[in-house]
Amino acid sequence: MLIFNKLIYWIGDKPTEYELENVAYINDVEALPFGMGGMLCVNVQEPKQVEGILKAFYQQQKRWSWAVYTTIETPYSRCVTDGIFDLTTSYKAWQNLRSRLESVPLVASLDPLIGWLGINRSRRLTAMKSLESSSIYTYPLIEAFYPDIYSTYRYVLSEKARDILENEQLLDRIRVCSHCNSGHLNYVEVCPQCGSIDIEHQSSLHCFTCGHVGQQQSFQRRGKLECPKCLTQLRHIGVDYDRPLENHVCNQCLNLFVEAATMSQCLSCDESMKVDELVVRKLYRYRLGEAGEYIFRHGKPSLAPELSIKGEVEVSFFQNLLAWLNKVAIRHKEHHLLLGLHFPSLDEYGKQHGDAKLLSLMDQFTRRLSEIFRDTDICCQFKQDVLLVLMPNTEKSSFSALQNKISVLGGQIEDEDFELNVFSWTLPQAIEDGVAVWLETLVGDIYVTR
Ligand SMILES: [Zn+2]
Ligand SMILES: [Zn+2]
Ligand SMILES: [Zn+2]
């Protein structure tokens, strides 16, 4: 697996100030050998070009296991490389990385993020500010490793929740639109009565004699102050007149007011909302967490999948088990039940209430589910919004009782937007094209039913 040669792969201009040994100059990342534990240095001066090369590099398999340097630092390179190339320290760091790689038993099957953070302890998962992105901050490394992920922020939160990652430092706190998650917002003062943005600052005066309140200008007469209503001369503030606190006026409804209300307007989707309706996001820099550390060393999650809903099992494991149980059912004329729980509004919920709230909702829900199911039932998060539960030796007839229990449970979740649909299938089934295809078809039907 580890590449044998000790060559430094160098893209871009050759270095001028020193002579490199054991170096291979290449023009394109396509020329890199496959295998793990190599070293790449990018020596181009144009930040966009650095970014392009690094992105292409990480599209290839197992590149997390490489030591990667650049000769200029860019906001992007800071998030996905080991820093600026230095003849002695970079070479040494690379050797350390290689020896770590050799000492990890199941290195080839490691998750890229865990592997990347694990083989070099100075690496951190960092957010990058990018005005081109509607969410303003992204995690470039997550984008590079998992290009299909819809929200890198949400992904990072869930890895944090599993202790794969651990907070190191809070980098920023931003507010995003509760409709579309955009961070491009405009804050605008509006009339507290009618909501119009057409408001102005106005200095007005208040005549004590007749109570008239009006613009300061309308009191100006021949260089003196005189009430336009009762024509009293106003000499002393506090005695003849004062300034009202309401020093704003709305040009729409003519309301006078002390303090304008603030609304936030989303520049991406045009929705406007109150500032306290915005969703707060905290952007952290992360290091490898305790569970991540364990997986890095042992290649497996620290909790070997328990055969109970309390500990979910992975998809591949679930599939194998299902295939086996199906055969058992045919041979011994047994009946098993497969449940599908679909949360159709999950994605919408995340957008509305924020990802942190979504995670806590899911957490709350799974905890209650484990009270319903038996220790022998096996649960698997098959898709982001589909949970499958395998219930051995359960007849179809018990489905309605179960469905009741689950809908009671759904009702206990204190949230109106939360929606849950329950599906069921019996085993045995004729599974001809393999269990993976069969399951995909089932779940496909769930989406169609919606
Ligand atoms: Zn108004
Ligand atoms: Zn007056
Ligand atoms: Zn928006």
Side-chain angles (χ1 to χ4, degrees):
M1 259 311 167
L2 220 59
I3 55 174
F4 289 114
N5 66 51
K6 294 275 175 81
L7 290 178
I8 299 175
Y9 287 88
W10 190 278
I11 289 190
D13 304 329
K14 292 181 183 181
T16 45
E17 59 267 43
Y18 42 75
E19 192 75 29
L20 280 176
E21 284 167 36
N22 298 328
V23 63
Y25 294 106
I26 56 172
N27 295 317
D28 196 309
V29 292
E30 297 298 327
L32 290 171
F34 293 108
M36 304 175 77
M39 172 160 169
L40 173 71
C41 181
V42 180
N43 183 26
V44 295
Q45 297 309 311
E46 182 54 46
K48 274 276 164 231
Q49 214 184 340
V50 175
E51 194 173 321
I53 291 170
L54 291 170
K55 277 184 176 162
F57 172 75
Y58 281 113
Q59 266 172 25
Q60 302 171 335
Q61 295 289 309
K62 308 277 182 243
R63 294 300 186 217
W64 60 263
S65 62
W66 281 50
V68 183
Y69 293 89
T70 51
T71 49
I72 58 162
E73 195 182 58
T74 73
Y76 187 81
S77 76
R78 216 173 291 147
C79 298
V80 302
T81 70
D82 296 302
I84 297 278
F85 179 78
D86 174 274
L87 201 49
T88 42
T89 57
S90 299
Y91 194 82
K92 206 165 158 213
W94 178 34
Q95 293 314 310
N96 286 340
L97 176 146
R98 281 180 71 92
S99 63
R100 277 193 90 101
L101 269 177
E102 274 167 339
S103 70
V104 176
L106 293 161
V107 74
S109 58
L110 272 180
D111 171 82
L113 179 63
I114 294 173
W116 189 83
L117 289 167
I119 47 165
N120 180 341
R121 290 319 158 102
S122 52
R123 287 178 172 177
R124 296 290 181 268
L125 177 64
T126 300
M128 178 178 81
K129 183 156 55 182
S130 147
L131 296 183
E132 286 147 37
S133 148
S134 72
S135 56
I136 296 190
Y137 279 100
T138 60
Y139 287 90
L141 199 70
I142 304 292
E143 278 175 347
F145 288 153
Y146 318 97
D148 296 332
I149 280 184
Y150 161 73
S151 159
T152 63
Y153 176 74
R154 194 178 292 176
Y155 185 81
V156 165
L157 273 193
S158 78
E159 293 302 88
K160 162 73 179 59
R162 294 169 57 206
D163 283 334
I164 302 291
L165 299 172
E166 186 179 293
N167 297 351
E168 185 180 70
Q169 197 194 344
L170 182 63
L171 303 172
D172 204 352
R173 185 165 45 225
I174 61 166
R175 287 181 164 73
V176 298
C177 170
S178 53
H179 297 269
C180 75
N181 285 328
S182 168
H184 296 266
L185 300 165
N186 183 34
Y187 297 90
V188 57
E189 281 76 47
V190 297
C191 167
Q193 187 165 286
C194 75
S196 167
I197 59 167
D198 188 7
I199 59 172
E200 267 170 35
H201 189 266
Q202 171 182 294
S203 335
S204 22
L205 297 181
H206 169 220
C207 165
F208 283 174
T209 312
C210 73
H212 174 67
V213 176
Q215 276 197 49
Q216 181 157 351
Q217 264 185 340
S218 66
F219 284 76
Q220 309 272 4
R221 286 285 151 86
R222 297 177 296 272
K224 289 177 181 164
L225 286 178
E226 189 184 287
C227 173
K229 269 268 169 73
C230 69
L231 305 177
T232 312
Q233 275 225 0
L234 309 178
R235 293 178 218 278
H236 303 291
I237 189 159
V239 178
D240 305 322
Y241 70 100
D242 68 1
R243 294 181 183 281
L245 285 170
E246 292 83 2
N247 56 2
H248 286 86
V249 65
C250 169
N251 291 329
Q252 287 297 315
C253 71
L254 304 176
N255 176 34
L256 292 170
F257 51 92
V258 182
E259 214 173 332
T262 306
M263 289 294 284
S264 38
Q265 213 129 34
C266 174
L267 300 175
S268 303
C269 76
D270 281 336
E271 288 283 343
S272 62
M273 63 220 88
K274 292 182 184 153
V275 175
D276 58 13
E277 286 169 353
L278 296 172
V279 177
V280 175
R281 282 189 171 183
K282 290 177 170 180
L283 284 308
Y284 284 93
R285 182 166 66 221
Y286 295 94
R287 57 174 166 251
L288 196 61
E290 210 173 303
E293 189 78 45
Y294 189 93
I295 296 174
F296 178 75
R297 283 173 204 277
H298 304 277
K300 283 194 231 83
S302 48
L303 296 166
E306 277 175 40
L307 299 187
S308 81
I309 187 131
K310 283 140 201 152
E312 302 171 7
V313 301
E314 284 176 58
V315 172
S316 60
F317 188 80
F318 189 80
Q319 287 174 342
N320 290 338
L321 205 66
L322 194 69
W324 171 75
L325 203 61
N326 198 52
K327 284 183 199 153
V328 173
I330 294 169
R331 171 163 290 207
H332 298 287
K333 302 196 168 46
E334 289 174 352
H335 296 278
H336 311 300
L337 196 64
L338 177 65
L339 287 189
L341 310 182
H342 179 216
F343 309 87
S345 52
L346 207 62
D347 203 43
E348 203 45 45
Y349 189 92
K351 285 185 196 162
Q352 286 258 326
H353 304 281
D355 300 318
K357 203 159 166 223
L358 174 68
L359 282 176
S360 92
L361 181 87
M362 287 309 288
D363 198 39
Q364 201 185 127
F365 186 73
T366 32
R367 225 174 309 146
R368 293 197 187 175
L369 262 188
S370 35
E371 289 159 17
I372 294 190
F373 294 119
R374 303 162 303 190
D375 274 352
T376 45
D377 299 334
I378 295 146
C379 168
C380 168
Q381 177 128 29
F382 192 70
K383 302 271 171 188
Q384 203 205 1
D385 53 355
V386 175
L387 210 64
L388 294 178
V389 184
L390 185 54
M391 310 181 74
N393 282 318
T394 309
E395 296 289 336
K396 177 83 178 168
S397 54
S398 46
F399 177 62
S400 64
L402 257 172
Q403 202 171 18
N404 275 342
K405 279 191 190 169
I406 295 172
S407 65
V408 167
L409 185 152
Q412 287 171 342
I413 304 282
E414 322 90 6
D415 218 294
E416 290 175 355
D417 300 338
F418 182 75
E419 208 184 317
L420 167 66
N421 299 324
V422 188
F423 299 81
S424 75
W425 304 270
T426 48
L427 294 186
Q429 294 258 350
I431 302 178
E432 279 151 15
D433 300 328
V435 71
V437 176
W438 183 72
L439 268 182
E440 283 295 343
T441 318
L442 283 194
V443 172
D445 290 344
I446 290 184
Y447 288 120
V448 172
T449 324
R450 193 187 170 184

